[in-house]
Amino acid sequence: LTECETVRLFWQASIGVLEEQPPHVWLNLTKVSKADTKLAACVVALIRRADECGTVVHIIGSRVVQDVLNLCKVPPLRQFTQVQNVA
């Protein structure tokens, strides 16, 4: 998730789900093998928007996702579960 267009599409799809105001949303980012600051900014904005809607965002992410969030100094997320890739 490094291409601007891909991140934009991810954002639009996520916002569409949040407009329905579900109590919980699960993001499966386990297959993300490349990530950068655009994804981190998108995740932070998504969580803030979800908070406004009263929605809890649960994220299951790869080590790459966790690394980029750490690089951007995003505080530890309450609902983030990191998975280990099995060879």
Side-chain angles (χ1 to χ4, degrees), residues 25 38 40 53 62 64:
V25 169
K38 292 183 290 293
C53 298
S62 65
V64 171

Side-chain angles (χ1 to χ4, degrees), residues 7-27 42 45-47 49-50 53 55 57:
V7 174
R8 185 181 70 77
L9 292 171
F10 170 70
W11 169 256
Q12 289 177 332
S14 300
I15 291 303
V17 170
L18 286 178
E19 287 175 352
E20 298 174 17
Q21 296 185 338
H24 298 271
V25 169
W26 288 83
L27 293 178
C42 185
L46 180 63
I47 290 170
R49 180 72 64 94
C53 298
T55 299
V57 177

Side-chain angles (χ1 to χ4, degrees), residues 19-81:
E19 287 175 352
E20 298 174 17
Q21 296 185 338
H24 298 271
V25 169
W26 288 83
L27 293 178
N28 183 345
L29 302 176
T30 58
K31 299 294 183 187
V32 174
S33 60
K34 294 181 183 179
D36 62 13
T37 57
K38 292 183 290 293
L39 177 61
C42 185
V43 167
V44 169
L46 180 63
I47 290 170
R48 288 182 179 160
R49 180 72 64 94
D51 284 345
E52 292 173 4
C53 298
T55 299
V56 177
V57 177
H58 302 271
I59 302 172
I60 303 171
S62 65
R63 178 71 186 176
V64 171
V65 174
Q66 182 65 63
D67 288 347
V68 78
L69 293 173
N70 290 340
L71 176 71
C72 294
K73 300 190 188 300
V74 174
L77 302 176
R78 294 182 305 260
Q79 307 298 336
F80 185 92
T81 302

